[in-house]
Amino acid sequence: MAERIEQRLEDRIPELEQLERVGLFTRKEIRAVLRKASALEYKIQRRALRKEDFINYIQYEVNLLELIKKRRARIGYSFKKDEIEHSILHRVHSLFNRATGKWKDDVQLWLSHVAFCKQWNAKHQLSKVFSTMLAIHSDKPALWIMAAKWEMESRLSSESARHLFLRALRFHPECPKLYQEYFRMELMHAEKQRKEKKEFEQAKMDLGEFNYSEEILNGEMARIVYRDASQKIKGVEFQLAVLSIAKLFDFSQDLQKEILENLQARYADDPLTWDYMARRELELGSQQPTEHTTKQKKASEMAQREERCCAVFDEAVGAVPTEDMWKCYISFCLERYNRKTNSEELKQKRLERTLSVFCKAHESNLLAEALYKHWLQLLLDSGLSEKAVEVAEAATRHFSQSVEMWQMRLRVLIQLKRDDVTQCFEEAIKHVKSKGALPLWTLWVEWSEGTNSKEDTEALYQRSLCATTPTESVTMKEMYLDWTYRNCGYKKVKRLFTSLCENRPFSLDFFRKMIQIEKEQESCKILHLREYYERALREFGSTNTDLWLDYVKEELSHPQGKPENCGSIHWRAMKMLQGDLVEDFVSKYTLLQTGHL
């Protein structure tokens, strides 16, 4: 092994001598490079190889290349690159090849090699890397697309890119993304040939030796790709994706027309088809010239375009009366309403249209639960509070077991300061199952704290503890404890804590809150703190190291504390903690003893 390493270091000598001779590095720096290289070589020649050692070696060589590049720029020296950089680049490629040969499944390692080749413009080497990588990771479409894009965009080789896409489709015959990118590549190839032909014609050159097929120039290859894909890949999403790609190319009007006709014929009942057709009215209008028009006229034209969109949507909800179709319609209306405009008339039209569509969807019983929230917010922002109350009530009738709907209705009533809030809370608790009703109880007690008397709020807290599930009651206990301390004082909260401790489960924050309350008192007693810590440790002593450490700190820092108790606490912690927590506790306890925690 040593002989091999010595040989590798000797191979570096010519490049290092050149670095010193041309003044890029000093003799001292050359020695430092040799020492570092020697250490890195020994690590990658061991029997038990580690990926990290190869990555560190590669990173060191890349940093060295960057440093040489900066030194060259600083002194203005640009010669001897073959003797210096070429040697280092060759070594980095060798390291990458060894690493990817050893850890073939590590895609990130392959991608790092690809990125390095691109950075240093190693096109020949990159072609080899892609070839080897795709032979091993042929199951990953994204890698095929990356390789094909590089062939098309960097090497300007449409033929190689097409070959890669065809190979990829043998492995992934139903991958939409592969077909989309292949479709895009063929259109790019057609566009490139059209530009070449135009330039030749402008230069009045003879095109006899160049064969520009009219079919290819018109995107016939892309059409073949699309037709093949359409037979294998079902779904409107793919059709819309290839249509959006085709729209990027001016010469593909016939192809766009074919895709659109196919879309309407095969997916007439899909909401996304209607959504596209409706929104298309906006684009069709925007393509018309609008120079020398006033703001008022522009707003009027925009209103007309939006009306045409809505006419298509109206037809759509009649033809496809589904929740998803109404969702598309409402999403469009909300998008247009949220769009900024200086025209108050246009904004008012958009508001009226949006509210009307919400109302129609609701009357059809096809308004999604999530959209009621948007409707209510829109009504409240528009000052239509009475209508908002009606809608909230209707939403809870339609989704009577939905916690979110009841929360929404209650927040509307609270915001409007209505008198029937309590009645609504009672109604909500009746309809919603006890499991999952915690958000309603928290909202109720929060509202009661600011509205009702202390007695009513306390009674509500007591009721919530019985009504919620044991797991959810933990949150109510924390809130009850905090409210009692803020409103009734220390003595009352201490009695409450003792009372609540009779019924499990508890949370750690429940005990920590009581400990914090005790520490805030002028006459903070260590006996009370010990009681709270002991109660907490009975529940969480086997799973929480910080609780034991806080107990130790309390004994050490409290005026009435007994430092001699720390040994006993430590012994108990070692017995009670489980698994790796023991080691964690020992290390933290040691830091505490040495004053570093």
Side-chain angles (χ1 to χ4, degrees):
M1 183 175 77
E3 291 177 2
R4 194 182 307 138
I5 292 170
E6 287 300 322
Q7 182 60 49
R8 289 178 181 277
L9 293 175
E10 284 178 14
D11 292 342
R12 283 176 169 268
I13 290 173
E15 75 195 54
L16 295 174
E17 286 177 345
Q18 289 288 359
L19 283 169
E20 184 183 357
R21 192 179 67 79
V22 300
L24 291 171
F25 278 43
T26 63
R27 182 173 289 275
K28 185 178 178 182
E29 288 173 330
I30 295 296
R31 287 174 180 166
V33 169
L34 272 172
R35 281 197 301 272
K36 183 67 176 175
S38 178
L40 291 167
E41 282 287 351
Y42 270 102
K43 286 183 178 179
I44 66 165
Q45 296 298 337
R46 294 183 297 197
R47 284 187 179 180
L49 296 176
R50 296 192 317 149
K51 193 194 304 180
E52 293 75 16
D53 294 332
F54 280 90
I55 292 170
N56 291 337
Y57 198 170
I58 290 166
Q59 189 59 55
Y60 177 74
E61 295 288 6
V62 170
N63 292 343
L64 189 63
L65 281 168
E66 291 292 344
L67 181 59
I68 293 169
K69 187 177 179 181
K70 288 179 181 177
R71 294 270 177 96
R72 283 184 178 281
R74 191 178 68 190
I75 67 173
Y77 186 82
S78 60
F79 304 103
K80 299 289 182 182
K81 287 190 176 182
D82 286 345
E83 290 88 340
I84 299 172
E85 279 91 340
H86 180 75
S87 176
I88 301 172
L89 287 169
H90 178 73
R91 191 160 50 249
V92 173
H93 288 310
S94 298
L95 288 167
F96 266 122
N97 289 336
R98 279 188 65 192
T100 51
K102 175 72 176 173
W103 296 281
K104 294 182 175 69
D105 295 335
D106 190 338
V107 177
Q108 192 56 50
L109 202 56
W110 288 100
L111 294 178
S112 297
H113 196 182
V114 169
F116 177 77
C117 292
K118 286 181 177 179
Q119 184 182 356
W120 294 95
N121 200 28
K123 292 184 178 180
H124 180 69
Q125 186 67 33
L126 182 52
S127 187
K128 290 182 179 179
V129 173
F130 273 130
S131 179
T132 312
M133 179 176 68
L134 292 174
I136 296 166
H137 294 284
S138 56
D139 60 327
K140 296 176 176 63
L143 299 182
W144 287 100
I145 292 169
M146 181 192 294
K149 276 190 171 182
W150 178 74
E151 289 287 352
M152 181 70 187
E153 294 170 6
S154 298
R155 299 193 75 184
L156 305 176
S157 175
S158 306
E159 194 61 40
S160 298
R162 185 181 295 115
H163 179 66
L164 279 169
F165 274 121
L166 290 171
R167 279 180 61 201
L169 288 169
R170 291 195 202 109
F171 290 99
H172 309 278
E174 296 181 358
C175 178
K177 190 64 179 173
L178 266 176
Y179 272 110
Q180 288 169 30
E181 294 304 325
Y182 187 14
F183 180 75
R184 188 197 307 273
M185 187 278 293
E186 290 295 359
L187 286 173
M188 287 171 65
H189 174 60
E191 185 179 48
K192 177 186 165 188
Q193 291 217 327
R194 290 173 74 91
K195 285 180 179 177
E196 283 181 3
K197 185 181 179 185
K198 186 178 179 181
E199 286 172 4
F200 281 135
E201 287 173 347
Q202 286 176 348
K204 297 181 180 178
M205 292 178 64
D206 183 17
L207 297 178
E209 58 186 82
F210 298 102
N211 182 21
Y212 290 105
S213 167
E214 282 299 320
E215 289 184 341
I216 292 176
L217 292 175
N218 292 328
E220 192 60 34
M221 293 292 288
R223 191 189 303 274
I224 293 168
V225 173
Y226 164 70
R227 287 175 179 173
D228 183 45
S230 293
Q231 292 175 2
K232 295 175 182 175
I233 300 170
K234 309 301 177 187
V236 68
E237 293 86 356
F238 177 76
Q239 300 288 332
L240 292 175
V242 292
L243 183 56
S244 66
I245 293 169
K247 285 168 69 176
L248 299 173
F249 300 88
D250 297 336
F251 61 88
S252 65
Q253 298 298 328
D254 291 342
L255 181 56
Q256 291 178 46
K257 186 178 178 182
E258 181 179 330
I259 298 170
L260 199 58
E261 288 173 355
N262 198 5
L263 182 70
Q264 290 175 294
R266 293 173 62 183
Y267 304 100
D269 294 336
D270 196 299
L272 290 176
T273 302
W274 284 99
D275 185 55
Y276 175 80
M277 296 306 296
R279 290 172 183 268
R280 188 163 170 263
E281 294 296 326
L282 276 180
E283 296 174 11
L284 292 174
S286 64
Q287 291 172 5
Q288 297 170 0
T290 55
E291 292 87 354
H292 311 296
T293 54
T294 63
K295 288 183 179 180
Q296 187 177 358
K297 190 173 181 182
K298 282 182 180 179
S300 174
E301 288 175 1
M302 179 57 72
Q304 289 174 10
R305 276 187 262 159
E306 289 178 3
E307 287 297 332
R308 291 201 300 271
C309 293
C310 290
V312 177
F313 272 120
D314 287 332
E315 185 184 348
V317 293
V320 188
T322 63
E323 191 175 286
D324 287 339
M325 189 66 256
W326 279 106
K327 187 176 180 180
C328 290
Y329 194 177
I330 290 168
S331 297
F332 169 78
C333 291
L334 286 172
E335 283 174 25
R336 302 312 300 177
Y337 175 72
N338 292 325
R339 199 176 178 88
K340 289 183 179 179
T341 178
N342 294 324
S343 171
E344 287 299 322
E345 184 183 352
L346 180 59
K347 191 163 185 67
Q348 186 61 32
K349 273 185 181 179
R350 287 172 174 173
L351 174 62
E352 290 171 2
R353 182 192 305 128
T354 306
L355 292 175
S356 171
V357 173
F358 268 120
C359 197
K360 288 176 184 176
H362 169 68
E363 289 169 359
S364 304
N365 290 324
L366 292 171
L367 184 60
E369 183 179 333
L371 291 173
Y372 274 100
K373 185 178 180 182
H374 293 287
W375 190 8
L376 281 172
Q377 193 58 52
L378 196 60
L379 289 167
L380 291 171
D381 291 344
S382 306
L384 302 169
S385 54
E386 290 302 319
K387 181 65 176 176
V389 172
E390 288 178 28
V391 169
E393 187 178 348
T396 51
R397 278 201 306 271
H398 196 57
F399 301 98
S400 60
Q401 294 187 345
S402 169
V403 175
E404 289 78 11
M405 287 293 103
W406 284 105
Q407 271 184 290
M408 202 166 60
R409 180 181 173 186
L410 288 161
R411 285 202 174 101
V412 169
L413 295 177
I414 291 169
Q415 186 177 337
L416 298 174
K417 297 181 180 178
R418 297 286 291 253
D419 297 331
D420 54 347
V421 175
T422 304
Q423 182 185 342
C424 187
F425 270 117
E426 294 286 1
E427 191 181 347
I429 295 300
K430 283 180 186 176
H431 283 90
V432 176
K433 295 177 182 177
S434 59
K435 186 179 181 180
L438 179 62
L440 295 178
W441 284 108
T442 54
L443 182 62
W444 196 352
V445 294
E446 284 170 1
W447 170 77
S448 182
E449 284 177 18
T451 309
N452 296 338
S453 64
K454 289 181 184 179
E455 292 76 14
D456 290 341
T457 302
E458 185 167 11
L460 190 59
Y461 269 115
Q462 291 284 358
R463 182 182 166 190
S464 71
L465 294 175
C466 300
T468 52
T469 61
T471 307
E472 293 178 336
S473 69
V474 168
T475 305
M476 298 310 301
K477 287 175 185 175
E478 292 173 26
M479 293 179 68
Y480 192 7
L481 199 70
D482 184 56
W483 175 82
T484 304
Y485 177 58
R486 285 187 283 109
N487 292 275
C488 305
Y490 171 71
K491 289 184 179 179
K492 181 70 178 286
V493 79
K494 195 171 183 306
R495 289 197 299 272
L496 175 65
F497 174 77
T498 306
S499 171
L500 292 175
C501 281
E502 293 176 6
N503 296 305
R504 286 185 173 87
F506 311 108
S507 68
L508 184 57
D509 287 339
F510 173 72
F511 292 105
R512 287 200 181 278
K513 183 65 185 174
M514 195 61 213
I515 291 167
Q516 186 59 38
I517 289 170
E518 182 64 41
K519 289 168 79 171
E520 288 175 7
Q521 306 310 307
E522 288 183 12
S523 58
C524 173
K525 295 181 180 179
I526 191 66
L527 287 173
H528 292 163
L529 287 173
R530 283 180 189 142
E531 178 195 346
Y532 306 146
Y533 272 112
E534 290 295 340
R535 285 181 182 274
L537 288 169
R538 279 200 290 272
E539 304 294 329
F540 304 101
S542 61
T543 57
N544 194 290
T545 56
D546 291 339
L547 197 58
W548 290 101
L549 291 164
D550 291 343
Y551 194 2
V552 171
K553 288 177 189 176
E554 214 65 65
E555 290 287 3
L556 291 171
S557 61
H558 197 281
Q560 301 166 11
K562 292 182 179 180
E564 59 267 26
N565 289 350
C566 294
S568 170
I569 296 169
H570 177 272
W571 182 83
R572 288 169 58 202
M574 297 291 286
K575 292 286 184 185
M576 195 176 245
L577 287 167
Q578 299 173 351
D580 296 337
L581 293 174
V582 176
E583 188 179 338
D584 185 40
F585 173 74
V586 170
S587 62
K588 287 181 179 178
Y589 187 77
T590 306
L591 289 171
L592 181 63
Q593 284 183 314
T594 56
H596 292 91
L597 187 65

